[in-house]
């Protein structure tokens, strides 16, 4: 049977050509979907995000600190929101990346095989948990603990507004946990992909195992680890569902125990009731545009860094 | 060569598709906005009227003879109620067109006095001045708000002034109100929420509130208050459950009975104002108010979280 079908396709030049063309058309159509999505999203963001810039003024939006969209004299300053997204993402990376990389080292180099076999599925499971579940766990497990910490830190303060555990720190911790699986999986793969010769040479020269890991293996796996960080940043800055539940959602400067609002949660939380066609709603799209520009910038800058790293190698 | 061709083709295809979808969006938008304007609905209704007149000649059923247009404008807070009522009324009387615009309470009453609409929606009591001009206050439902506290809180009774001080950040600890030494966690809704608008309006603290948590649903507010010691929040009266305690306001318990009796202050009437008494209105408007005040209308009011007037 098999040889027969083979013969019918291979043997007939016409059939073969048709199959080739059809396949190519199918591939092109599939690729079109992605291009179409990117172009239409970009256009839509620009079209719907720019009206409010003209209505409010770019300086007022980017450097204003008061967000009062429904006031008698509405104010649309999102400086604190932008800063919160930057600081929050940075802190989450600061917390999550070292833990992630060290876990990857542990899995790839240090752990006994049986233990690694147990940890690996756990990490993969972590990646599959929906973000809203992280948020719920954040409310019920993290919230009370953070509130106790907050009460302890600000025991004598008369000016601090108590948030009940919904603050920047909680959001950062949740974000850090959420980026762990991405960082761990990609770092581990890149560590495992390091040529065995490098490790062997390092050990042969008398370096200890730990020295080998930090001086030879990790530098050799650098580009893969950078990719892991980039994807981690992407996940952290774009996350909305989990942190909308734990960040408190009031517009405040991004201090650890302040209730804060991220770019993503700013859109999510007010979209429901913002009047259609109003400056308020347009402004929410502008926040989306700002977020979009941010993610583009981060992608471009980090991919430049990545390329440079590869050239050096 | 072939590659370049297909690339160009791909781009052109993408653009064409996008343009198609964009113009399609535009079409539906203009379509719906035109429908909302009075001119269009009048045209529709006159068409409907003529149709009804011809059918009425054949069968003289009291229900199907109702036809025409009801136009109302006014309070944005009443959007849910007004839309739900319009929909149900038009379902019951298919030849009637009922439309509602949401321009604000003051503008609604002005419009009904000027005769440009049949009903002016207002989410506050009418002012004396408006009444002397001929506006009649027909209360169709009441919007009640409960202040909820976590169950362990020992302060169970607040005055209006205390509530204002808490929400504007003047009082930050329950011990200032005779409770435990526990910081107050001020929970509220996001800007644009009807409940937040009503709450801030009733306390006259619009845009002056300092929230520690701005949550985007009633459920989230109640969950946060229930799980946080020292938290205070607000929500529609009918959504309060056992996980939180509804505080007394000036010694009055938050119940539908007290709101109807007028002793609980954190509530506001939803008024459908008419120019002149209901009995002086057209048959159609009288049928509208029979419907709204009757069991069907009141059930709709209850469904959107309001307190019925009966």
């Amino acid at each position: 049977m098999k040889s027969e079908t083979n013969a019918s396709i291979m043997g007939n030049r016409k059939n073969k050509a048709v199959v080739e063309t059809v396949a190519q058309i199918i591939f092109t159509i599939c690729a079109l979907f992605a291009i179409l999505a990117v172009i239409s999203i970009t256009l839509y963001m620009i079209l719907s995000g720019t009206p409010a810039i003209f209505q409010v003024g770019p300086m007022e939006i980017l450097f204003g600190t008061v967000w009062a969209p429904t006031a008698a004299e509405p104010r649309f300053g999102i400086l604190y929101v932008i800063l919160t997204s930057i600081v929050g993402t940075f802190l989450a990376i600061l917390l999550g990346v070292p833990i992630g990389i060290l876990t990857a080292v542990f899995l790839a180099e240090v752990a006994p095989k049986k233990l690694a076999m147990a940890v690996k599925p756990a990490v993969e499971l972590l990646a599959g948990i929906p973000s809203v579940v992280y948020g719920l766990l954040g409310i019920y497990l993290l919230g009370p603990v953070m509130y106790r910490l907050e009460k302890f830190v600000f025991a004598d303060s008369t000016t601090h507004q108590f948030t009940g555990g919904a603050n920047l720190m909680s959001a950062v911790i949740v974000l850090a946990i959420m980026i762990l699986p991405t960082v761990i999986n990609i770092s581990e793969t890149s560590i495992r992909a390091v040529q065995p010769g490098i490790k062997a040479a390092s050990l042969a020269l008398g370096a200890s195992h730990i020295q080998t890991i930090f001086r030879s293996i990790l530098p050799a796996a650098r580009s893969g680890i950078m990719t892991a960080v980039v994807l981690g940043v992407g996940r952290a800055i774009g996350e909305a569902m989990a942190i909308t539940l734990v960040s408190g959602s009031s517009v405040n400067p991004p201090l650890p125990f302040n209730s804060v609002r991220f770019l993503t949660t700013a859109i999510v939380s007010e979209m429901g009731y913002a009047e259609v066609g109003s400056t308020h709603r347009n402004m929410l799209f502008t926040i989306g545009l700002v977020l979009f520009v941010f993610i583009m910038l981060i992608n471009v800058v980090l991919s430049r860094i990545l390329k440079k790293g590869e050239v050096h190698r | 060569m072939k590659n370049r061709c297909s690339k160009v083709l791909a781009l052109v295809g993408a653009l064409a598709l996008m343009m198609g979808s964009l113009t399609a969006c535009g079409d539906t938008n203009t379509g719906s906005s035109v429908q909302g304007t009075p001119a269009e609905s009048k045209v529709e209704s006159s068409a409907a009227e003529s149709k009804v007149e011809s059918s009425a000649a054949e069968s003289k059923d009291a229900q199907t003879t109702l036809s025409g247009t009801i136009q109302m404008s006014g309070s944005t807070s009443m959007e849910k109620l007004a839309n739900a009522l319009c929909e149900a009324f038009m379902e019951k009387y298919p030849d009637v067109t009922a439309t509602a615009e949401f321009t604000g309470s003051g503008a609604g009453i002005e419009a009904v006095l000027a005769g440009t609409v049949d009903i002016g929606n207002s989410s506050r009591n009418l002012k004396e001045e408006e009444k002397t001009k001929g506006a009649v206050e027909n209360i169709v439902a009441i919007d009640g708000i409960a202040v909820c506290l976590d169950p362990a809180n020992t302060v169970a009774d607040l005055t209006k002034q205390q509530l204002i001080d808490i929400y504007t950040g003047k009082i930050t600890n329950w011990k200032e109100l005779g409770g435990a030494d526990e910081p107050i966690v001020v929970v509220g809704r996001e800007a644009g929420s009807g409940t937040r608008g009503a709450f801030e309006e009733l306390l006259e603290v619009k845009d002056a509130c300092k929230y520690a948590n701005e949550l985007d649903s009633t459920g989230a507010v109640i969950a946060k208050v229930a799980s946080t010691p020292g938290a205070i929040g607000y929500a529609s009266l009918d959504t309060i459950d056992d996980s939180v305690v509804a505080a007394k306001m000036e010694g009055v318990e938050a119940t539908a009975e007290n709101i109807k009796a007028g002793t609980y202050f954190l509530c506001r009437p939803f008024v459908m104002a008419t120019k002149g008494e209901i009995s002086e209105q057209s048959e159609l408007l009288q049928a509208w108010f029979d419907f709204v005040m009757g069991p069907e209308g009141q059930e709709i009011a209850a469904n959107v979280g309001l307190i019925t007037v009966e």
Side-chain angles (χ1 to χ4, degrees):
Chain A
M1 277 300 277
K2 202 180 171 192
S3 60
E4 259 175 57
T5 45
N6 262 352
S8 73
I9 290 184
M10 302 303 282
N12 189 332
R13 213 170 253 185
K14 219 178 193 178
N15 276 355
K16 198 177 162 191
V18 169
V19 169
E20 288 286 312
T21 334
V22 169
Q24 217 163 39
I25 290 172
I26 291 173
F27 293 147
T28 315
I29 290 173
C30 290
L32 266 185
F33 272 111
I35 298 169
L36 182 68
V38 170
I39 295 178
S40 48
I41 288 171
T42 311
L43 257 186
Y44 185 75
M45 283 319 300
I46 292 172
L47 283 181
S48 51
T50 41
I53 298 179
F54 292 112
Q55 283 162 350
V56 184
M59 294 315 257
E60 159 77 15
I61 292 173
L62 292 179
F63 298 106
T65 54
V66 182
W67 175 259
T70 53
E73 275 181 39
R75 303 285 301 275
F76 299 99
I78 59 167
L79 180 65
Y80 287 156
V81 181
I82 296 175
L83 286 179
T84 300
S85 262
I86 296 173
V87 172
T89 307
F90 180 73
L91 290 179
I93 292 294
L94 215 60
L95 196 64
V97 166
I99 296 176
I101 293 177
L102 295 185
T103 310
V105 169
F106 172 78
L107 284 175
E109 289 289 327
V110 184
K113 237 189 183 159
K114 272 190 184 161
L115 189 55
M117 294 266 273
V119 175
K120 192 94 211 282
V123 170
E124 271 153 17
L125 198 65
L126 210 55
I129 296 174
S131 58
V132 66
V133 174
Y134 282 102
L136 284 176
L137 290 177
I139 288 183
Y140 289 112
L141 299 180
L142 198 58
V145 177
M146 294 304 291
Y147 191 30
R148 233 171 265 167
L149 187 63
E150 185 182 0
K151 275 197 222 170
F152 176 73
V153 172
F154 291 96
D156 303 318
S157 164
T158 50
T159 52
H160 178 74
Q161 185 180 35
F162 285 86
T163 63
N167 50 36
L168 181 65
M169 290 271 276
S170 305
V172 164
I173 292 171
V174 168
L175 279 180
I177 295 171
M178 289 187 70
I179 63 169
L180 274 184
T182 318
V183 177
I184 294 172
N185 283 334
I186 299 175
S187 306
E188 194 205 338
T189 314
S190 63
I191 288 171
R192 284 194 193 279
V194 171
Q195 284 176 342
I198 292 177
K199 184 182 176 185
S202 172
L203 290 175
L205 285 170
S208 72
H209 192 188
I210 299 298
Q211 278 175 327
T212 306
I213 288 169
F214 283 103
R215 295 287 167 85
S216 307
I217 295 177
L218 284 183
R222 192 177 52 199
S223 102
I225 291 172
M226 280 301 286
T227 312
V229 176
V230 172
L231 291 176
V233 170
R235 175 148 204 204
I237 201 165
E239 176 53 41
M241 202 55 233
I243 50 177
T244 194
L245 295 170
V246 293
S247 68
S249 260
S250 291
V251 181
N252 284 311
L255 297 174
F257 287 99
N258 272 2
S259 163
V260 292
R261 193 179 287 191
F262 291 74
L263 285 167
T264 45
T265 56
I267 304 171
V268 171
S269 68
E270 287 182 7
M271 209 42 141
Y273 285 106
E275 211 179 310
V276 178
S278 62
T279 311
H280 183 191
R281 198 180 185 86
N282 289 342
M283 197 49 220
L284 297 183
F285 281 109
T286 307
I287 295 178
L289 184 62
V290 170
L291 182 62
F292 185 74
V293 170
F294 255 90
I295 291 176
M296 285 296 175
L297 277 181
I298 288 170
N299 273 352
V300 169
V301 169
L302 289 182
S303 63
R304 281 270 165 85
I305 293 173
L306 275 186
K307 269 194 191 142
K308 250 189 197 164
E310 269 161 26
V311 169
H312 278 300
R313 279 175 69 204
Chain B
M1 228 3 234
K2 206 176 179 189
N3 257 342
R4 185 162 295 169
C5 265
S6 52
K7 257 185 205 164
V8 171
L9 261 179
L11 270 176
V12 169
L15 267 175
L17 268 174
M18 205 161 49
M19 286 306 176
S21 60
L22 279 178
T23 47
C25 286
D27 280 350
T28 47
N29 274 345
T30 47
S32 63
S33 68
V34 166
Q35 214 167 20
T37 62
E40 173 86 353
S41 46
K42 272 213 175 114
V43 171
E44 264 173 30
S45 66
S46 61
E49 261 172 321
S50 57
K51 220 191 285 170
V52 172
E53 268 159 15
S54 59
S55 68
E58 289 156 23
S59 72
K60 289 202 169 167
D61 189 0
Q63 289 226 333
T64 52
T65 50
L66 266 181
S67 69
T69 346
I70 299 174
Q71 285 177 31
M72 59 185 96
S73 77
S75 170
T76 50
S77 312
M78 288 169 69
E79 183 169 349
K80 254 196 210 166
L81 176 68
N83 282 341
L85 287 173
C86 284
E87 238 167 68
F89 193 72
M90 287 192 285
E91 200 167 287
K92 193 173 177 191
Y93 304 105
D95 294 324
V96 176
T97 311
T99 57
E101 282 172 31
F102 307 100
T103 51
S105 298
I109 296 165
E110 224 166 81
V112 74
L113 287 175
T116 53
V117 295
D118 306 307
I119 295 170
N121 289 335
S122 164
S123 52
R124 57 167 168 78
N125 286 98
L126 297 192
K127 293 173 188 159
E128 277 312 309
E129 185 194 341
E130 289 161 345
K131 282 184 185 167
T132 53
K133 279 182 188 163
V136 172
E137 185 179 271
N138 312 304
I139 298 177
V140 297
I142 301 168
D143 188 14
I145 297 171
V147 169
C148 48
L149 307 170
D150 79 287
N153 202 321
T154 50
V155 182
D157 189 350
L158 293 168
T159 67
K160 186 174 181 178
Q161 192 54 46
Q162 285 170 340
L163 200 55
I164 293 172
D165 289 345
I166 289 174
Y167 270 88
T168 50
K170 272 186 209 138
I171 296 177
T172 56
N173 196 304
W174 287 110
K175 71 183 173 195
E176 293 169 60
L177 300 171
D181 182 7
E182 182 86 54
I184 302 178
V185 177
V186 182
V187 180
R189 292 289 305 276
E190 84 283 10
S193 144
T195 314
R196 168 161 160 175
F199 181 82
E200 294 188 355
E201 222 166 81
L202 288 167
L203 289 183
E204 291 152 26
V205 290
K206 210 146 175 35
D207 312 318
C209 287
K210 295 199 173 78
Y211 294 105
N213 279 254
E214 282 181 49
L215 307 176
D216 57 7
S217 74
T218 301
V221 168
I222 291 175
K224 179 77 193 172
V225 171
S227 63
T228 311
I232 183 170
Y234 53 74
S236 262
L237 188 61
D238 69 311
T239 58
I240 300 291
D241 58 25
D242 291 341
S243 63
V244 291
V245 173
K248 288 183 190 171
M249 290 291 120
E250 312 266 5
V252 181
E253 258 184 79
T255 60
E257 288 74 38
N258 286 336
I259 285 178
K260 281 177 201 168
T263 47
Y264 182 81
F265 78 87
L266 217 50
C267 67
R268 54 181 183 169
F270 277 179
V271 174
M272 289 193 164
T274 47
K275 196 179 183 185
E277 294 293 337
I278 295 177
S279 53
E280 300 166 19
Q281 305 296 321
S282 69
E283 200 186 329
L284 176 60
L285 274 184
Q286 289 190 20
W288 166 265
F289 278 105
D290 282 345
F291 174 80
V292 171
M293 307 288 209
E296 291 157 284
Q298 292 300 302
E299 198 192 319
I300 290 168
N303 282 344
V304 294
L306 300 170
I307 293 156
T308 55
V309 283
E310 282 316 302

